[in-house]
Amino acid sequence: MSKQTYRVCFCCRRQFRLPVSEAPEEIKTLFALYSENGIMTADQLHRFLVEVQKEHNATEEGALAIIDSLKHLNIFHRRGITLEGFFKYLFSDNNPPLSPSFGVHHDMTAPLSHYFIYTGHNSYLTGNQLSSDCSDVPIIHALQRGVRVIELDLWPNATNDDVDVLHGRTLTTPVDLFKCLKSIREHAFTASEYPVVITLEDHITPDLQAKVAMMVTQTFGDILFTPGSEYLMEFPSPESLKRRIIISTKPPKEYLEAKEGKEKEKNDAETGKTLGDEEAWGKEVPSLKGGTLADHKNVMDDDDGNDEKDLDDGDKSQHNTAPEYKRLISIHSGKPKGGLEEWLNVDPDRVRRLSLSEQYLEKAAITHGKEIVRFTQRNILRVYPKLTRIDSSNYNPLIGWMHGAQMVAFNMQGYGRSLWLMQGMFKANGGCGYVKKPDFLLMTGPNNEVFDPKTFLPVKTTLKVTVYMGEGWYYDFKHTHFDAFSPPDFYARVGIAGVPVDAVMKKTRILEDNWIPIWNEQFEFPLTVPELALLRIEVHEYDMSETDDFGGQTCLPVSELRAGIRAVPLHNRKGEKYNTVKLLMGFEFLAL
């Protein structure tokens, strides 16, 4: 066994033995149960896959293929696999917690309003909301990760003869609109073939609207979806819109009115208090327990959720709209004149998109929860970060999802726990960017009743999680990354993000001075709404004198979690998978 040396001071050094990764006792016990004389045959491995891993479609031929995949190792045995080979398989990339064979497996033929959609906010920003550069690079990165809704703010350039994309009335540097459109065209379907929606925040004059219409039409050509009628009676399905581009915006108002609205946003943002989560971990995701406003007592009372001006069909300013621009709009956005009840009115003759800020949704959910659910059964609700998130932080997406909001818009350029939840949700359904909403959010009862998010629900299932061990940090990090004087002291946090009653975090004990921690600890999580639950996994390195160090994270949709013993890859703060860092974990759904 090799040793590792740490310098304590100029003349003193400490040596630590480097442990060898070997199977925990529980894995050894399982191997003994499904093997004979130290060898697990293909038949015995097949029984293990069916009985322990709950892979009921597993075949003996598949088990033999697993054994064959280990032939390149010195531990291979001609009659089967040894304990070491069995352990190598369990801890390999061939044994993930989500099944790669599922691919896109949700019904994709329902209207767009029946899906959660991977949605970006101010997709062109490289950093904060006030002074960062605007670029097509974050748009490309978002599309490559499967984001399906890209937001562009359109403003006249300095000479008023062309269109820039930027966060208006701030210090952000502009990027050319055509460059953004071209990048969307080139990268829209690299990660998913399902439709990309471009939401436009329009602050341009009618002559520039005509120019935008020409650029959009020339850039996207036949892949641009334009409905035959002015308003859709029902949204098309993702399946019918494969490899299509969709434009969504409010029917444009006069340039000066839009400019005044943006100026108010800027002033509100500058006077508000920033709530950053860009520390090493990001702040803990705000809890919704005890009422949606309990954790948000300092919200701005004058925030009405308006990122778009009120609009009715008779608005005279529409006469100033370039007709070719108006014809591009497939998903109409806007609020009818009046208050929340009018905004949430469901029109049987047409569908639309409504946008609300995160804090306005929280207020609305207290008194109009069922009405929001009813609205989202046919229409699209977009939720966006409040204006004080100048640092491009995010919020808890679950309040939007539990009310059926399809477009929970996030700043994708940063990192933090809220963004990890977003990334976790859209690992579902093959990572295509569209996740079918649970049936209870779509159903209407015999008396026209809909799901009430405030209803107390019984426990449907209990998820039992075993954290066996972790490895890979020794290879992916410098040996002094976590501690200059000794090996790391790792512990794991495991929990659930979901509806308020399901949300919880637990943690293992701290294992000192060990690159390969073996915890062997179990946790149980009763779930009332497993359809919306995300399994949160984090690894920390304990630091007695400073903030604990980041050791990796991932979020997994519980609805697609594979039972059995699985190798769970961990990711960095931006959601990029480490080369070798992973946890060995067990998952079991307990019958009630």
Side-chain angles (χ1 to χ4, degrees):
M1 183 178 292
S2 61
K3 296 181 179 181
Q4 192 173 61
T5 301
Y6 290 82
R7 185 191 298 272
V8 178
C9 61
F10 180 74
C11 59
C12 297
R13 296 171 184 268
R14 299 175 70 192
Q15 282 192 336
F16 295 86
R17 292 185 180 275
L18 289 178
V20 176
S21 181
E22 62 177 36
E25 289 302 318
E26 287 79 357
I27 304 303
K28 293 178 181 178
T29 301
L30 270 174
F31 180 79
L33 188 62
Y34 287 89
S35 65
E36 188 174 353
N37 298 323
I39 301 297
M40 180 183 285
T41 64
D43 176 64
Q44 291 166 328
L45 177 58
H46 174 237
R47 285 200 303 113
F48 168 80
L49 294 175
V50 173
E51 296 173 8
V52 178
Q53 304 293 78
K54 307 301 180 185
E55 298 178 22
H56 300 297
N57 294 325
T59 63
E60 192 166 340
E61 290 75 15
L64 189 59
I66 292 173
I67 294 174
D68 289 341
S69 71
L70 300 170
K71 281 185 176 180
H72 66 285
L73 303 174
N74 294 330
I75 55 178
F76 175 73
H77 191 282
R78 63 183 179 82
R79 291 195 299 112
I81 51 176
T82 62
L83 169 62
E84 190 175 354
F86 178 64
F87 176 57
K88 289 284 186 185
Y89 165 67
L90 289 180
F91 223 158
S92 73
D93 291 336
N94 294 324
N95 185 36
L98 306 178
S99 177
S101 63
F102 280 177
V104 176
H105 57 280
H106 294 181
D107 175 17
M108 302 301 285
T109 62
L112 287 178
S113 55
H114 288 205
Y115 300 84
F116 299 130
I117 310 173
Y118 205 176
T119 301
H121 173 257
N122 289 353
S123 306
Y124 49 86
L125 287 178
T126 58
N128 70 67
Q129 303 286 310
L130 288 182
S131 61
S132 66
D133 292 336
C134 301
S135 170
D136 64 327
V137 173
I139 296 172
I140 295 171
H141 289 167
L143 291 169
Q144 289 173 339
R145 298 192 70 136
V147 173
R148 298 289 86 191
V149 182
I150 299 296
E151 182 185 28
L152 303 177
D153 278 2
L154 308 185
W155 290 82
N157 67 354
T159 54
N160 290 315
D161 60 355
D162 209 343
V163 180
D164 282 337
V165 173
L166 77 157
H167 200 195
R169 308 301 181 185
T170 68
L171 300 177
T172 55
T173 57
V175 59
D176 182 68
L177 172 62
F178 180 73
K179 186 175 184 181
C180 295
L181 296 176
K182 184 172 179 289
S183 293
I184 292 173
R185 171 66 193 251
E186 292 175 357
H187 299 275
F189 308 110
T190 54
S192 170
E193 61 182 346
Y194 289 95
V196 169
V197 180
I198 303 175
T199 59
L200 301 177
E201 285 299 321
D202 168 13
H203 308 280
I204 53 177
T205 54
D207 59 321
L208 289 179
Q209 290 170 2
K211 189 165 188 174
V212 169
M214 182 179 66
M215 281 193 280
V216 168
T217 303
Q218 290 179 351
T219 302
F220 298 118
D222 293 341
I223 68 172
L224 184 66
F225 172 73
T226 51
S229 58
E230 183 176 353
Y231 291 100
L232 293 169
M233 293 188 64
E234 183 179 64
F235 290 117
S237 69
E239 186 68 28
S240 69
L241 294 171
K242 275 185 176 179
R243 305 189 73 83
R244 303 296 293 273
I245 301 291
I246 304 168
I247 302 298
S248 177
T249 184
K250 60 184 182 295
K253 294 178 71 71
E254 292 184 50
Y255 168 59
L256 287 177
E257 291 188 19
K259 185 167 67 173
E260 290 168 1
K262 199 67 179 183
E263 187 68 32
K264 181 181 184 299
E265 282 193 12
K266 173 181 177 278
N267 293 335
D268 286 346
E270 289 177 343
T271 57
K273 180 182 178 183
T274 180
L275 299 176
D277 66 352
E278 300 297 329
E279 300 167 3
W281 280 98
K283 290 185 178 181
E284 184 54 82
V285 178
S287 171
L288 300 178
K289 293 182 179 180
T292 54
L293 289 182
D295 299 322
H296 302 277
K297 295 178 181 178
N298 296 321
V299 297
M300 292 183 294
D301 292 335
D302 61 345
D303 181 86
D304 66 350
N306 248 351
D307 72 332
E308 51 200 25
K309 302 289 286 183
D310 289 346
L311 179 69
D312 66 13
D313 293 341
D315 196 312
K316 295 179 181 179
S317 67
Q318 290 191 60
H319 296 303
N320 297 324
T321 301
E324 57 268 53
Y325 181 82
K326 192 175 180 181
R327 284 194 292 268
L328 295 178
I329 305 171
S330 298
I331 301 177
H332 287 255
S333 174
K335 297 183 178 76
K337 289 192 179 298
L340 181 62
E341 291 185 3
E342 287 76 19
W343 298 352
L344 295 174
N345 180 54
V346 177
D347 189 333
D349 297 323
R350 69 182 190 185
V351 290
R352 59 190 169 91
R353 171 170 71 84
L354 171 68
S355 288
L356 299 175
S357 72
E358 55 167 294
Q359 61 193 141
Y360 195 82
L361 176 64
E362 290 168 5
K363 295 177 183 178
I366 294 175
T367 55
H368 291 75
K370 289 188 290 185
E371 287 79 4
I372 297 172
V373 172
R374 189 184 306 279
F375 179 84
T376 59
Q377 290 181 340
R378 268 181 51 80
N379 301 281
I380 289 176
L381 175 61
R382 173 178 170 266
V383 185
Y384 62 93
K386 58 188 175 183
L387 300 176
T388 53
R389 293 191 181 276
I390 297 167
D391 58 354
S392 295
S393 59
N394 288 299
Y395 52 98
N396 189 339
L398 267 302
I399 186 171
W401 291 333
M402 64 189 281
H403 288 83
Q406 297 87 350
M407 296 182 179
V408 178
F410 262 36
N411 296 306
M412 300 293 176
Q413 69 271 39
Y415 55 84
R417 288 186 169 107
S418 295
L419 185 53
W420 301 341
L421 298 185
M422 180 68 64
Q423 293 166 347
M425 167 63 84
F426 289 100
K427 289 174 184 172
N429 200 25
C432 75
Y434 286 81
V435 173
K436 188 78 156 47
K437 294 199 287 188
D439 288 342
F440 65 81
L441 288 172
L442 301 171
M443 295 188 318
T444 302
N447 297 316
N448 203 32
E449 67 270 20
V450 297
F451 172 71
D452 184 354
K454 292 195 183 87
T455 300
F456 179 80
L457 299 171
V459 172
K460 284 187 180 180
T461 187
T462 294
L463 173 63
K464 179 180 177 182
V465 177
T466 303
V467 185
Y468 290 109
M469 62 179 295
E471 69 170 15
W473 294 279
Y474 179 77
Y475 301 102
D476 287 354
F477 294 86
K478 293 181 179 178
H479 81 285
T480 57
H481 175 86
F482 297 105
D483 195 320
F485 308 115
S486 65
D489 308 324
F490 287 128
Y491 66 96
R493 294 180 76 229
V494 182
I496 297 293
V499 298
V501 70
D502 292 347
V504 66
M505 287 298 287
K506 303 178 181 182
K507 69 178 183 179
T508 68
R509 68 190 185 279
I510 299 168
L511 293 181
E512 296 183 353
D513 300 334
N514 202 324
W515 283 101
I516 304 177
I518 299 178
W519 293 287
N520 282 332
E521 295 190 38
Q522 294 181 348
F523 306 95
E524 292 188 3
F525 303 102
L527 301 174
T528 63
V529 186
E531 299 92 335
L532 293 180
L534 297 167
L535 179 65
R536 296 178 54 191
I537 302 166
E538 301 174 357
V539 174
H540 300 240
E541 197 276 332
Y542 176 72
D543 193 315
M544 183 180 300
S545 59
E546 299 177 4
T547 303
D548 290 353
D549 292 318
F550 178 86
Q553 61 81 25
T554 193
C555 287
L556 302 169
V558 169
S559 62
E560 300 201 2
L561 204 57
R562 301 168 81 195
I565 300 168
R566 303 295 174 185
V568 179
L570 296 187
H571 301 71
N572 65 18
R573 287 176 289 182
K574 293 188 177 181
E576 300 159 343
K577 189 169 76 169
Y578 288 121
N579 291 329
T580 55
V581 176
K582 57 174 73 78
L583 299 180
L584 188 65
M585 304 182 69
F587 307 115
E588 183 181 358
F589 291 93
L590 304 179
L592 298 180

